[in-house]
Amino acid sequence: MSLLLFISGKNWQLSLAELIAYLQTRQINFKVQQFNKVFFVIHIQQILDSKVIDELGGTIKIGQAMTSLLSQQIIEAYVQHNKQVEKQVIEVLKKSGVVNQIIDYAGKGKIFFGVSVYFEEDKLKNHAGKIQRAFGSAVKAELAVQGKKARFMGFADKSQGQLSHVEVLKKGLVENKSEIFLCVGKKTSWIATTIAVHNPFEFQKRDVYKPRQRKIFGMPPRLSKIMINLSGCTEGKTLLDAFCGVGTVLQEALLIRANVVGTDINPWCIKAAEDNLEWLTQEYELRNAEYRVVQSDVEFLSRKIGMENIDVIVSEPDLGPALRQVPTTPYAKKVIDKLTPLFFGFVEEAYKVLKPGGKLVVVTPYIVTRSKHIVTMPIGVKAENIKFTRVKPFGLEVFDKNIENIDLMGLESLVEVDTRHLIGREIHVFCK
């Protein structure tokens, strides 16, 4: 059994839901031991390949837990400045095995290592830099005792105390097992070694350097990957995006060796998606990649695609106009009312083309108005009327029995709001 720590992306609920769906789809036995908006602690019954992070859109880092201690010890040592307790914490760090692991993976010459600190509670963040420096000094001293020269990558005491994924990648800290991170929960803290880190350069390449762009209406690759994982798509399955645009969802699905089908009413989008998919297959050497893109109005989807031919559907239809200011509640309702026939028609056609047991992941508009009202589309009612079953993001069975007050159980959908846009995304999952 492995105890792994996952550092969440900016939308922690979306990150946790994706991770759970990913593990369940691959029939990996696990339990969520702890979770918060910063990190997740998960018991996994088998060894998880570190490359898994390349298949996740919402995880920043993965760490192998080496030891744990009471969070009260961290508070007493670094917030209340208890020197005796600080010595105890450093002793736990030394005995954790992180230093020996750094030595085992080190090459010749000076060892380069880093430390990152993550807190469940925001009120402790101001102490992150101090803890980072203290841990760094302790590790460096222990390496010196064992005859190793070392350089510590850290920042001033008032910093956030975390190395970014970019810094970890550039310094090769994952390969050398030389980033240590401390996750401080409300009751328990964990010392871990980083075993995988998200590579933003790959997402950037697929987003910025693909030949055809549609920035105003585009979905980022990160979110596309998350939605694909929520759908349960894996290698060999057939994925449909019925509003494929320039093919971002199709690209991310093709990377996991799914067979992909895209449709769009706009002929320009069809050509753009084809160009992007061709570029992707060459750039990533995807031999024998199966994809096709078809021009079609969504109301004719079942005629174009055929009945019950698709394993999963992942789509973001029209989310409405690009707003210049926060809308009033009546205007937001007008936006939703205008879009509703398109979405309802799509759900009907999606049911026809999906195989029994197939999943539909669909994005609907999520609008917060000037009066702070939330205006959404009642797509769940429509989906259930045509015999779809809603798949809730979180089931009680995946959480450790000792976790108290799980507030996630009531969630029926997930929300992604980008501060740059006035219309957010509400993500729904349905099963036929």
Side-chain angles (χ1 to χ4, degrees):
M1 178 182 288
S2 296
L3 184 63
L4 299 182
L5 292 102
F6 295 79
I7 305 301
S8 171
K10 64 179 181 178
N11 187 329
W12 73 269
Q13 289 184 352
L14 202 56
S15 298
L16 181 58
E18 179 200 21
L19 181 57
I20 289 171
Y22 179 91
L23 296 173
Q24 286 179 325
T25 298
R26 288 153 183 81
Q27 299 182 332
I28 296 171
N29 292 324
F30 71 97
K31 285 289 182 182
V32 180
Q33 182 175 308
Q34 293 291 333
F35 68 91
N36 54 67
K37 64 183 180 181
V38 180
F39 60 86
F40 319 131
V41 184
I42 301 184
H43 273 294
I44 297 182
Q45 297 282 355
Q46 62 196 73
I47 296 174
L48 197 66
D49 193 322
S50 61
K51 293 180 180 178
V52 69
I53 201 164
D54 297 329
E55 298 181 359
L56 296 170
T59 299
I60 301 300
K61 294 178 185 177
I62 304 175
Q64 175 71 57
M66 303 296 285
T67 192
S68 63
L69 65 162
L70 296 176
S71 295
Q72 185 60 35
Q73 291 177 276
I74 301 293
I75 293 170
E76 289 181 17
Y78 301 106
V79 178
Q80 300 172 1
H81 309 294
N82 186 320
K83 294 296 183 181
Q84 187 61 38
V85 177
E86 182 178 359
K87 290 180 181 179
Q88 295 171 6
V89 171
I90 296 303
E91 194 60 31
V92 172
L93 172 64
K94 291 178 180 179
K95 291 180 179 180
S96 68
V98 293
V99 174
N100 289 335
Q101 193 170 67
I102 291 173
I103 293 172
D104 289 343
Y105 282 84
K108 295 181 179 180
K110 184 178 287 189
I111 293 173
F112 193 89
F113 73 96
V115 176
S116 291
V117 185
Y118 299 91
F119 289 103
E120 178 177 351
E121 297 185 283
D122 289 342
K123 64 183 181 180
L124 297 174
K125 282 184 177 179
N126 289 338
H127 302 279
K130 183 191 303 178
I131 298 172
Q132 184 192 50
R133 299 297 300 179
F135 270 46
S137 297
V139 171
K140 189 173 182 179
E142 186 65 16
L143 287 168
V145 168
Q146 300 193 39
K148 300 292 183 180
K149 293 183 179 180
R151 181 183 171 195
F152 165 55
M153 186 175 183
F155 304 101
D157 283 351
K158 293 184 179 180
S159 76
Q160 293 298 307
Q162 298 165 8
L163 303 182
S164 73
H165 41 325
V166 174
E167 291 166 327
V168 173
L169 280 172
K170 287 185 174 180
K171 298 299 183 181
L173 301 186
V174 174
E175 296 87 339
N176 296 327
K177 303 289 185 185
S178 55
E179 189 200 22
I180 301 163
F181 66 76
L182 171 69
C183 289
V184 182
K186 288 183 179 179
K187 295 180 179 179
T188 306
S189 296
W190 293 267
I191 296 172
T193 297
T194 303
I195 61 171
V197 64
H198 161 69
N199 187 341
F201 304 114
E202 287 298 319
F203 277 148
Q204 183 184 46
K205 180 169 74 172
R206 298 197 293 272
D207 191 24
V208 177
Y209 297 110
K210 62 189 177 188
R212 305 293 289 273
Q213 304 284 334
R214 199 186 187 199
K215 294 182 180 179
I216 296 177
F217 302 101
M219 179 188 291
R222 174 193 64 84
L223 184 58
S224 297
K225 189 172 286 294
I226 290 173
M227 290 175 59
I228 290 166
N229 283 323
L230 292 175
S231 78
C233 188
T234 53
E235 181 177 350
K237 288 189 176 182
T238 300
L239 175 144
L240 167 69
D241 182 356
F243 299 83
C244 70
V246 297
T248 305
V249 169
L250 303 181
Q251 285 185 226
E252 296 305 311
L254 211 56
L255 285 171
I256 62 170
R257 302 289 181 173
N259 304 320
V260 304
V261 181
T263 67
D264 203 287
I265 195 172
N266 187 332
W268 182 89
C269 287
I270 297 301
K271 182 63 170 66
E274 289 175 337
D275 290 346
N276 286 339
L277 291 173
E278 182 179 358
W279 169 82
L280 185 85
T281 58
Q282 294 176 359
E283 190 72 21
Y284 288 86
E285 299 181 351
L286 302 177
R287 297 180 179 87
N288 303 317
E290 294 284 343
Y291 66 88
R292 63 188 176 104
V293 189
V294 181
Q295 185 180 354
S296 175
D297 190 319
V298 72
E299 67 176 295
F300 305 124
L301 194 60
S302 57
R303 298 184 203 176
K304 289 279 190 178
I305 303 303
M307 305 291 281
E308 299 190 346
N309 281 331
I310 301 298
D311 293 302
V312 300
I313 299 174
V314 177
S315 288
E316 179 177 273
D318 186 356
L319 296 184
L323 303 178
R324 295 185 177 181
Q325 57 185 358
V326 178
T328 62
T329 299
Y331 184 78
K333 289 180 178 178
K334 285 182 180 179
V335 170
I336 296 295
D337 290 343
K338 186 175 181 180
L339 292 172
T340 296
L342 171 68
F343 278 81
F344 282 15
F346 166 55
V347 172
E348 290 178 356
E349 287 294 296
Y351 193 86
K352 294 176 185 178
V353 303
L354 274 174
K355 295 176 182 178
K359 286 184 180 178
L360 164 66
V361 180
V362 59
V363 177
T364 58
Y366 182 92
I367 307 175
V368 181
T369 68
R370 292 180 196 173
S371 56
K372 304 303 179 184
H373 284 93
I374 297 172
V375 181
T376 60
M377 183 176 291
I379 199 164
V381 176
K382 174 65 177 177
E384 290 168 6
N385 284 343
I386 57 176
K387 299 187 178 178
F388 269 117
T389 301
R390 183 183 285 278
V391 179
K392 292 186 177 181
F394 306 102
L396 190 61
E397 72 280 358
V398 304
F399 294 95
D400 189 277
K401 62 182 180 180
N402 295 320
I403 295 181
E404 301 175 354
N405 302 320
I406 300 178
D407 297 328
L408 300 177
M409 294 303 103
L411 287 181
E412 294 192 333
S413 61
L414 298 157
V415 175
E416 171 84 337
V417 178
D418 189 326
T419 55
R420 297 172 297 175
H421 303 292
L422 297 176
I423 296 182
R425 295 175 165 101
E426 186 173 12
I427 303 169
H428 313 260
V429 183
F430 302 104
C431 183
K432 179 174 177 178

